[in-house]
Amino acid sequence: MRHIAALLAALLASCGPSTPVPEAVGLATQEIAPAPDYAPLILSPRQLHSTDEIVRHASGPPPADAAAVGDLWVRRLEQRGALMGSGRSGKGEGDPVSMIDTLLTARQFDAWAQENGWTVPRHIIWRFQQELHHPALPPQLAGAVHLWPASTRRTGWQLEAAFTGRVFLRNGCVYVSSPGQQGEALAWFHAETGLGRDGDGYFTLVNRVTGETMARLGEEMQWAGPNAIDQEQPQVQALQAACGDLPVVSVGNPEALERIFVRYPHLRTLQIPPPPPPAPLPAS
């Protein structure tokens, strides 16, 4: 655990002064939190199995106009901002679309098609997102933060480099401090991360799909990045208006380092390479 303590000390030392934010009565602060016992909080693969429809396999032959049909559905999803990706039956640009990966749940997709009177083609493999079974900001916690800083768009393709830092709560605003970062920044989550509170009274980050506790605010965490944010979007500007004119940084769907170490114990110990062999003695 010594290397974790050292990392935390370095992060705290690197934090510069933040933009002043007026104290707000009733808003929460949790800058440092001890890690809980994550072992009983981590769901097994069997428990993680969801009944949500993730893949809808093709159930019919392609029609004569399959190429036009597939391109039409790709355009529709692009216009809605709900296309994650697509694939064709061959390598040619004119080959029919055979698979479409969406940023919608199956329920959302079917409701959208029904609202528009569209018949969903059965020759295409459809991929959907899992349902968000837990709220981003439960009503009983709404007074703890100015607003919950998270995207409403599901997580699609993203950069996957491992970023680390401390994500914490101060006066109803969520901040992040990372190695190499100039001072503090406002944290921005992906849609799958929500706010919770555990039985010991600590504010937590919750996986909105599974309900798992991913971290306590104030812990050292890891997330995928770097993933840019449109700083001009209204939600980001509303966050800055409430919490100060700081840069807003994506922390995606973060997970506490301690939780990762419980899942992968071999990562807890720093792997220090052995010293190089001694130089050969000069020839006599």
Short mmCIF file of all heavy atoms in Angstrom, two decimals, residues 221-251:
data_model
loop_
_atom_site.label_atom_id
_atom_site.label_comp_id
_atom_site.label_asym_id
_atom_site.label_seq_id
_atom_site.Cartn_x
_atom_site.Cartn_y
_atom_site.Cartn_z
N MET A 221 -8.55 6.73 -8.39
CA MET A 221 -9.32 5.98 -9.37
C MET A 221 -8.56 5.85 -10.68
O MET A 221 -7.55 6.53 -10.91
CB MET A 221 -10.67 6.65 -9.63
CG MET A 221 -11.51 6.88 -8.38
SD MET A 221 -13.11 7.63 -8.76
CE MET A 221 -13.56 8.24 -7.13
N GLN A 222 -9.08 4.99 -11.54
CA GLN A 222 -8.53 4.82 -12.89
C GLN A 222 -9.68 4.85 -13.89
O GLN A 222 -10.77 4.38 -13.60
CB GLN A 222 -7.80 3.48 -12.99
CG GLN A 222 -7.19 3.21 -14.37
CD GLN A 222 -6.35 1.94 -14.37
OE1 GLN A 222 -5.33 1.85 -13.71
NE2 GLN A 222 -6.80 0.94 -15.11
N TRP A 223 -9.41 5.44 -15.07
CA TRP A 223 -10.43 5.51 -16.11
C TRP A 223 -9.76 5.49 -17.48
O TRP A 223 -8.55 5.66 -17.61
CB TRP A 223 -11.28 6.77 -15.95
CG TRP A 223 -10.51 8.06 -15.98
CD1 TRP A 223 -10.19 8.81 -17.07
CD2 TRP A 223 -9.94 8.74 -14.86
NE1 TRP A 223 -9.47 9.92 -16.71
CE2 TRP A 223 -9.30 9.91 -15.35
CE3 TRP A 223 -9.92 8.49 -13.48
CZ2 TRP A 223 -8.64 10.81 -14.52
CZ3 TRP A 223 -9.26 9.38 -12.65
CH2 TRP A 223 -8.63 10.53 -13.17
N ALA A 224 -10.56 5.30 -18.53
CA ALA A 224 -10.05 5.26 -19.90
C ALA A 224 -9.99 6.67 -20.48
O ALA A 224 -10.87 7.50 -20.26
CB ALA A 224 -10.95 4.37 -20.76
N GLY A 225 -8.94 6.94 -21.25
CA GLY A 225 -8.81 8.26 -21.85
C GLY A 225 -7.64 8.30 -22.83
O GLY A 225 -7.05 7.26 -23.12
N PRO A 226 -7.27 9.48 -23.30
CA PRO A 226 -7.95 10.76 -23.08
C PRO A 226 -9.13 10.91 -24.04
O PRO A 226 -9.00 10.66 -25.24
CB PRO A 226 -6.87 11.79 -23.40
CG PRO A 226 -6.02 11.11 -24.45
CD PRO A 226 -6.05 9.65 -24.13
N ASN A 227 -10.28 11.29 -23.52
CA ASN A 227 -11.46 11.46 -24.35
C ASN A 227 -11.98 12.90 -24.20
O ASN A 227 -12.33 13.34 -23.10
CB ASN A 227 -12.53 10.44 -23.95
CG ASN A 227 -12.13 9.03 -24.36
OD1 ASN A 227 -12.04 8.73 -25.53
ND2 ASN A 227 -11.85 8.18 -23.39
N ALA A 228 -11.97 13.60 -25.32
CA ALA A 228 -12.27 15.04 -25.31
C ALA A 228 -13.74 15.30 -25.02
O ALA A 228 -14.62 14.45 -25.26
CB ALA A 228 -11.88 15.65 -26.65
N ILE A 229 -13.99 16.48 -24.52
CA ILE A 229 -15.35 16.96 -24.25
C ILE A 229 -15.56 18.25 -25.02
O ILE A 229 -14.65 19.08 -25.10
CB ILE A 229 -15.56 17.23 -22.75
CG1 ILE A 229 -15.38 15.95 -21.94
CG2 ILE A 229 -16.93 17.82 -22.47
CD1 ILE A 229 -15.40 16.20 -20.44
N ASP A 230 -16.74 18.42 -25.58
CA ASP A 230 -17.10 19.68 -26.21
C ASP A 230 -17.37 20.71 -25.11
O ASP A 230 -18.41 20.66 -24.45
CB ASP A 230 -18.33 19.49 -27.11
CG ASP A 230 -18.78 20.80 -27.76
OD1 ASP A 230 -18.07 21.82 -27.63
OD2 ASP A 230 -19.85 20.79 -28.41
N GLN A 231 -16.42 21.60 -24.90
CA GLN A 231 -16.52 22.56 -23.80
C GLN A 231 -17.63 23.59 -24.04
O GLN A 231 -17.98 24.34 -23.13
CB GLN A 231 -15.18 23.28 -23.62
CG GLN A 231 -14.00 22.35 -23.36
CD GLN A 231 -13.95 21.81 -21.93
OE1 GLN A 231 -14.34 22.48 -20.99
NE2 GLN A 231 -13.44 20.60 -21.77
N GLU A 232 -18.17 23.64 -25.26
CA GLU A 232 -19.20 24.63 -25.58
C GLU A 232 -20.61 24.09 -25.40
O GLU A 232 -21.57 24.84 -25.55
CB GLU A 232 -19.01 25.12 -27.02
CG GLU A 232 -17.66 25.76 -27.30
CD GLU A 232 -17.41 26.96 -26.40
OE1 GLU A 232 -18.35 27.74 -26.17
OE2 GLU A 232 -16.26 27.11 -25.92
N GLN A 233 -20.76 22.80 -25.12
CA GLN A 233 -22.11 22.27 -25.01
C GLN A 233 -22.80 22.85 -23.77
O GLN A 233 -22.15 23.13 -22.75
CB GLN A 233 -22.10 20.75 -24.99
CG GLN A 233 -21.38 20.11 -23.81
CD GLN A 233 -21.48 18.61 -23.83
OE1 GLN A 233 -22.58 18.06 -23.80
NE2 GLN A 233 -20.34 17.93 -23.90
N PRO A 234 -24.11 23.03 -23.81
CA PRO A 234 -24.83 23.70 -22.72
C PRO A 234 -24.63 23.04 -21.36
O PRO A 234 -24.54 23.73 -20.34
CB PRO A 234 -26.29 23.64 -23.18
CG PRO A 234 -26.22 23.54 -24.67
CD PRO A 234 -25.00 22.74 -24.96
N GLN A 235 -24.58 21.68 -21.33
CA GLN A 235 -24.43 21.00 -20.04
C GLN A 235 -23.10 21.34 -19.39
O GLN A 235 -23.01 21.51 -18.16
CB GLN A 235 -24.55 19.49 -20.22
CG GLN A 235 -25.90 19.04 -20.78
CD GLN A 235 -25.85 18.87 -22.29
OE1 GLN A 235 -25.20 19.65 -22.99
NE2 GLN A 235 -26.53 17.86 -22.79
N VAL A 236 -22.04 21.43 -20.20
CA VAL A 236 -20.72 21.77 -19.66
C VAL A 236 -20.71 23.21 -19.17
O VAL A 236 -20.16 23.52 -18.11
CB VAL A 236 -19.64 21.53 -20.73
CG1 VAL A 236 -18.30 22.12 -20.29
CG2 VAL A 236 -19.48 20.04 -21.01
N GLN A 237 -21.32 24.11 -19.92
CA GLN A 237 -21.36 25.51 -19.50
C GLN A 237 -22.19 25.69 -18.24
O GLN A 237 -21.86 26.52 -17.38
CB GLN A 237 -21.90 26.36 -20.65
CG GLN A 237 -20.96 26.40 -21.86
CD GLN A 237 -21.47 27.27 -22.97
OE1 GLN A 237 -22.65 27.59 -23.06
NE2 GLN A 237 -20.56 27.67 -23.87
N ALA A 238 -23.25 24.88 -18.10
CA ALA A 238 -24.05 24.94 -16.87
C ALA A 238 -23.23 24.46 -15.68
O ALA A 238 -23.34 25.01 -14.57
CB ALA A 238 -25.31 24.08 -17.03
N LEU A 239 -22.40 23.44 -15.89
CA LEU A 239 -21.53 22.95 -14.82
C LEU A 239 -20.54 24.03 -14.40
O LEU A 239 -20.33 24.27 -13.20
CB LEU A 239 -20.79 21.70 -15.29
CG LEU A 239 -19.74 21.13 -14.34
CD1 LEU A 239 -20.39 20.71 -13.03
CD2 LEU A 239 -19.02 19.96 -15.00
N GLN A 240 -19.92 24.71 -15.36
CA GLN A 240 -18.97 25.76 -15.03
C GLN A 240 -19.65 26.94 -14.35
O GLN A 240 -19.07 27.57 -13.46
CB GLN A 240 -18.23 26.20 -16.30
CG GLN A 240 -17.29 25.12 -16.85
CD GLN A 240 -16.72 25.49 -18.20
OE1 GLN A 240 -17.41 26.02 -19.06
NE2 GLN A 240 -15.44 25.20 -18.39
N ALA A 241 -20.86 27.24 -14.75
CA ALA A 241 -21.59 28.33 -14.11
C ALA A 241 -21.85 28.03 -12.64
O ALA A 241 -21.83 28.93 -11.79
CB ALA A 241 -22.90 28.59 -14.84
N ALA A 242 -22.08 26.75 -12.34
CA ALA A 242 -22.38 26.36 -10.96
C ALA A 242 -21.13 26.15 -10.13
O ALA A 242 -21.13 26.41 -8.91
CB ALA A 242 -23.22 25.09 -10.96
N CYS A 243 -20.05 25.69 -10.75
CA CYS A 243 -18.89 25.22 -9.99
C CYS A 243 -17.60 25.98 -10.26
O CYS A 243 -16.57 25.65 -9.67
CB CYS A 243 -18.67 23.73 -10.26
SG CYS A 243 -20.01 22.69 -9.61
N GLY A 244 -17.61 26.95 -11.14
CA GLY A 244 -16.40 27.72 -11.39
C GLY A 244 -15.88 27.52 -12.80
O GLY A 244 -16.07 26.47 -13.41
N ASP A 245 -15.19 28.53 -13.29
CA ASP A 245 -14.71 28.52 -14.68
C ASP A 245 -13.41 27.73 -14.78
O ASP A 245 -12.34 28.28 -15.06
CB ASP A 245 -14.54 29.95 -15.18
CG ASP A 245 -14.25 30.00 -16.67
OD1 ASP A 245 -14.56 29.00 -17.36
OD2 ASP A 245 -13.73 31.02 -17.14
N LEU A 246 -13.49 26.43 -14.55
CA LEU A 246 -12.36 25.53 -14.66
C LEU A 246 -12.54 24.66 -15.90
O LEU A 246 -13.66 24.49 -16.39
CB LEU A 246 -12.29 24.61 -13.43
CG LEU A 246 -11.93 25.26 -12.09
CD1 LEU A 246 -12.11 24.26 -10.97
CD2 LEU A 246 -10.51 25.77 -12.12
N PRO A 247 -11.45 24.09 -16.42
CA PRO A 247 -11.63 23.13 -17.51
C PRO A 247 -12.42 21.93 -17.03
O PRO A 247 -12.37 21.55 -15.85
CB PRO A 247 -10.19 22.75 -17.88
CG PRO A 247 -9.37 23.11 -16.69
CD PRO A 247 -10.04 24.29 -16.07
N VAL A 248 -13.17 21.32 -17.94
CA VAL A 248 -13.96 20.13 -17.63
C VAL A 248 -13.27 18.94 -18.29
O VAL A 248 -13.02 18.95 -19.48
CB VAL A 248 -15.41 20.28 -18.12
CG1 VAL A 248 -16.23 19.04 -17.78
CG2 VAL A 248 -16.05 21.53 -17.50
N VAL A 249 -12.95 17.92 -17.49
CA VAL A 249 -12.17 16.78 -17.94
C VAL A 249 -12.99 15.51 -17.83
O VAL A 249 -13.62 15.25 -16.79
CB VAL A 249 -10.87 16.66 -17.11
CG1 VAL A 249 -10.12 15.37 -17.46
CG2 VAL A 249 -9.98 17.87 -17.33
N SER A 250 -12.97 14.69 -18.87
CA SER A 250 -13.69 13.42 -18.84
C SER A 250 -12.96 12.41 -17.97
O SER A 250 -11.76 12.16 -18.16
CB SER A 250 -13.83 12.85 -20.26
OG SER A 250 -14.38 11.54 -20.21
N VAL A 251 -13.68 11.84 -17.00
CA VAL A 251 -13.16 10.72 -16.23
C VAL A 251 -13.94 9.44 -16.55
O VAL A 251 -13.81 8.44 -15.86
CB VAL A 251 -13.20 11.01 -14.71
CG1 VAL A 251 -12.25 12.15 -14.37
CG2 VAL A 251 -14.61 11.34 -14.24
#
